[in-house]
Structure formats: C-alpha cells, structure tokens
Amino acid sequence: MNKSVITITDAEFETEVLQADQPVLVYFWASWCGPCQLMSPVMNLAAATYSDRLKVVKMEIDPNPVTVKQYQIEGVPALRLFKGYQLLQSTEGVINKEKLLSLLEQHLNNN
C-alpha cells in the first residue's frame, strides 16, 4: 500500500500504470505550471484516502513526451484514471478536492 504519490517516467508508465493490479490515477504536471501547485495537496489527499484501492502517480510532462503524446495531454494539470489498459476518466485543468473525490468514488465503488 502506498499512501503517497509516486513519481514516474515514460519508461515506467506501462509497468506502474497499465500493468498495475488496481486502478491508477495519473497526475500530469509541469514545474512552470502555477495551477499545478494547487493540485499537489489534492493528489496527496487522494493517495492517502484511497491507498487501499487506488494508486496515485505523477508525471512531469516536459521530460516525458511519449506518454504525454499518447494520452493527448493538452494542458496541465491533467488527470487520467486507468484500470489496466482502459482509460476510465480524463480531466484537464484544476479540479477541487470535492470534485476529485466524487469522481474517484464513482469509479472505485464499481469494482
């Protein structure tokens, strides 16, 4: 059980996300992105709250162009929720804690 957000790269994406045993929330961010600073505590909260049934990872977009292109990340912050090779949910822009938690509940309670 990992209760914190794990940093990953293009090379780790398949193993850490697509081959994971549980759903994975991928948080795409950039060091130059002001709104991304607002999302970090929300991501940490999601990781701590759902650590028993969700893995939360983050990927910086600039050093990882392959995944960014593959999943059409057009702006940051962006979120992609995966279960296996299936993309369940996708958002762009800042979302607040309540919206994120309700979005996760919707998917995690269907398991």
Side-chain angles (χ1 to χ4, degrees):
M1 287 312 139
N2 202 322
K3 288 186 184 262
S4 57
V5 178
I6 306 160
T7 302
I8 65 165
T9 63
D10 275 344
E12 299 162 307
F13 189 84
E14 183 156 0
T15 314
E16 290 288 336
V17 178
L18 304 177
Q19 295 174 359
D21 297 334
Q22 56 193 150
V24 182
L25 180 64
V26 185
Y27 164 49
F28 292 92
W29 68 285
S31 55
W32 44 261
C33 160
C36 293
Q37 310 304 322
L38 302 173
M39 288 295 289
S40 287
V42 180
M43 291 299 106
N44 293 333
L45 176 75
T49 306
Y50 298 105
S51 62
D52 58 331
R53 51 202 163 129
L54 176 74
K55 180 177 183 180
V56 181
V57 300
K58 70 178 184 177
M59 177 179 275
E60 190 172 358
I61 59 165
D62 295 326
N64 298 293
V66 175
T67 306
V68 167
K69 184 170 189 239
Q70 187 172 359
Y71 292 100
Q72 299 161 350
I73 308 303
E74 304 198 343
V76 285
L79 300 175
R80 299 291 184 269
L81 180 63
F82 291 89
K83 180 155 194 211
Y85 285 82
Q86 185 185 5
L87 177 61
L88 301 177
Q89 183 81 41
S90 147
T91 70
E92 308 263 333
V94 174
I95 63 173
N96 66 24
K97 177 178 77 178
E98 290 73 23
K99 186 169 177 190
L100 175 66
L101 297 181
S102 84
L103 180 150
L104 292 173
E105 288 286 338
Q106 182 186 329
H107 289 288
L108 297 176
N109 289 337
N110 295 339
N111 293 350

